[in-house]
Amino acid sequence: MSAPNLVVNSDRLWASIQETAAIGATPKGGICRLALSDEDRRVRDWFAEACRACGCSVSVDALGNMFARRPGRNPKLPPIAIGSHLDTQPTGGKYDGIIGVLAGLEIMRLLDEAGVETEAPIELINWTNEEGARFAPAMLASGTFAGVFTPDYAYAREDRGGVSFGSALDAIGYRGAEPIGHPLSAHFELHIEQGPILEAEGRTIGVVTGVQSIRWYEATMTGMDGHAGATPMHLRRDALLGVAEIVRAVHALAMRYAPGAVGTVGMIENRPNSRNVVPGEVFFTVDLRHADDAVVAEMDAAFRAEAAAIASRSGLTLSLEETWRSPAVHFDAGCVAAVTGAAERLGLSHRPLVSGAGHDSAYIARVAPTTMVFIPCKDGLSHNEAESATQADVAAGANVLLGAVLAFDRGLGE
Ligand code: HGY
Ligand code: MN
Ligand code: MN
């Protein structure tokens, strides 16, 4: 049966978002569901059961990526994928990644109820470790699926407690039997914008044309531990003072390339972190981004020079390593057109957007025609427990996702 004018069940989708938000809920109304944690295991178990309950077969690959597949008329066609992630930041919100997976679940439920037969199989994917909060880099499992990383590299990533990705995957029982990587006809992802543009312009849908360029660094600044009371100021080699200067330098660098550039020092581990010891060693991270790879390369060179100068004039030693580079991504014009057409058919206000945040789609775009659908989030806030979106916008995004997937599917059948 072809797809009549299907509309997602907004209340059911909203209820699933609120139900899963209880897994890893934080007192401030957010979620802490770090990749491969026990909370991640619990939401994965919930997800697998919900997918099976609406007629999907569920498989797991060797990196824990979960695939819920609904058969189509033509089994020779690779599945059209709807993907995103269920892992969160330590103080994450209820919508980042989650609405992409649960809107896909709602679409599976709807197609099952309506007895719709698509041309291609439809495959709903929960990508492991999108956030990179516990195991760097971000998008590690989708990147391995796309051939960017090797499985051994992924398994060897360690969290700050020295636990490896591979051992954490085994600990939650999600090292699946499926090989990593299989053909996809397309990949569509619904996500909150995580920025202020759609809300500021009063638009409901962002038609995502690409993802900006990202570079991550890990660094250690080394000085000398000293007594906070007995060490005169001119004799100190205060590693934290040096890092404080680097924090300001990263901010100033991004401001020089603003408004398109951003720069963040997100992690700082101060050692020995004792109130009466001059810090002798500080671990920290840097995240630089811009839509243009060439600008990020310029920022990289400037950052390295300024950080080295700060260390040298402060009598400190800096070790700096680039740990991740995700080049700017341009999404598939056919997929972008499918999203634009779906938004227009639904009479929803929309505009093209380049994503400031990284997403699994950025890597899957290397192996399948890919694009994303954005909806607004309140005040553009994300990676924050106060992250919020409206039920109406989530439903609108899910209906655009549905319309784009079905339009792409019809195209495969022609
Ligand atoms: O880092 C990012 O942009 C994404 O949230 N993982
Ligand atoms: Mn996300
Ligand atoms: Mn995120």
Side-chain angles (χ1 to χ4, degrees):
M1 176 181 163
S2 70
N5 288 328
L6 291 174
V7 176
V8 300
N9 180 327
S10 171
D11 289 342
R12 180 171 60 188
L13 171 51
W14 193 253
S16 293
I17 292 170
Q18 304 316 321
E19 182 181 351
T20 54
I23 303 174
T26 63
K28 289 186 182 174
I31 300 180
C32 177
R33 211 158 56 205
L34 295 176
L36 306 183
S37 63
D38 195 56
E39 293 77 15
D40 190 16
R41 176 190 62 75
R42 287 167 47 211
V43 78
R44 286 163 168 267
D45 292 349
W46 180 97
F47 173 66
E49 188 182 332
C51 290
R52 291 189 183 104
C54 62
C56 298
S57 61
V58 177
S59 62
V60 181
D61 76 7
L63 281 176
N65 295 314
M66 299 177 77
F67 305 92
R69 184 175 292 203
R70 186 174 189 276
R73 210 183 341 268
N74 182 348
K76 293 195 182 72
L77 284 172
I80 298 172
I82 297 171
S84 200
H85 62 94
L86 291 172
D87 67 308
T88 74
Q89 289 286 332
T91 51
K94 295 179 181 168
Y95 306 93
D96 172 0
I98 296 148
I99 66 164
V101 175
L102 297 186
L105 172 63
E106 174 51 33
I107 287 170
M108 294 299 210
R109 287 168 166 167
L110 187 65
L111 295 177
D112 184 47
E113 277 167 356
V116 170
E117 192 182 38
T118 53
E119 191 64 30
I122 307 294
E123 186 165 77
L124 174 54
I125 305 174
N126 171 30
W127 295 110
T128 302
N129 194 68
E130 187 283 337
E131 288 294 357
R134 182 179 180 194
F135 300 104
M139 300 110 77
L140 179 61
S142 52
T144 308
F145 182 94
V148 175
F149 308 112
T150 64
D152 287 347
Y153 171 84
Y155 291 132
R157 297 304 93 217
E158 290 187 357
D159 65 16
R160 295 302 293 165
V163 175
S164 72
F165 179 101
S167 58
L169 188 65
D170 293 332
I172 68 165
Y174 268 92
R175 188 191 294 245
E178 291 298 307
I180 303 164
H182 58 263
L184 299 175
S185 288
H187 183 273
F188 290 89
E189 181 172 5
L190 170 65
H191 207 286
I192 50 171
E193 178 200 336
Q194 301 179 294
I197 297 169
L198 292 176
E199 184 184 60
E201 294 184 4
R203 294 180 201 260
T204 308
I205 298 296
V207 182
V208 189
T209 57
V211 178
Q212 67 177 346
S213 181
I214 306 173
R215 282 197 201 184
W216 279 9
Y217 306 81
E218 290 185 3
T220 300
M221 184 73 90
T222 307
M224 175 71 75
D225 290 7
H227 194 294
T231 311
M233 296 309 283
H234 71 285
L235 294 181
R236 294 181 177 204
R237 287 196 287 130
D238 183 338
L240 188 56
L241 183 62
V243 172
E245 285 196 52
I246 287 184
V247 171
R248 292 205 60 80
V250 167
H251 179 85
L253 173 66
M255 294 305 284
R256 284 204 300 276
Y257 287 91
V262 286
T264 312
V265 174
M267 280 179 85
I268 284 191
E269 291 173 1
N270 182 48
R271 301 181 188 117
N273 211 35
S274 168
R275 68 198 68 215
N276 49 1
V277 176
V278 176
E281 181 181 277
V282 178
F283 167 85
F284 63 99
T285 62
V286 177
D287 176 323
L288 299 178
R289 305 192 194 197
H290 190 279
D292 182 341
D293 288 324
V295 173
V296 170
E298 270 185 48
M299 293 171 73
D300 169 78
F303 163 60
R304 288 174 182 277
E306 289 171 35
I310 288 166
S312 133
R313 69 168 175 261
S314 313
L316 301 170
T317 308
L318 174 67
S319 79
L320 176 63
E321 181 195 0
E322 178 187 296
T323 53
W324 183 40
R325 183 180 298 197
S326 176
V329 174
H330 304 286
F331 285 142
D332 173 80
C335 289
V336 168
V339 170
T340 305
E344 284 171 353
R345 283 192 299 278
L346 290 164
L348 294 169
S349 57
H350 58 85
R351 60 156 286 170
L353 265 184
V354 172
S355 176
H359 301 283
D360 295 306
S361 290
Y363 277 139
I364 302 307
R366 295 178 181 220
V367 293
T370 295
T371 195
M372 297 180 73
V373 182
F374 274 176
I375 60 165
C377 51
K378 190 168 179 333
D379 303 330
L381 198 58
S382 184
H383 287 191
N384 184 306
E385 291 163 291
E387 175 186 282
S388 76
T390 66
Q391 179 173 347
D393 284 347
V394 169
N399 281 317
V400 170
L401 180 67
L402 170 65
V405 166
L406 292 180
F408 192 92
D409 180 62
R410 284 193 296 274
L412 294 178
E414 284 162 1

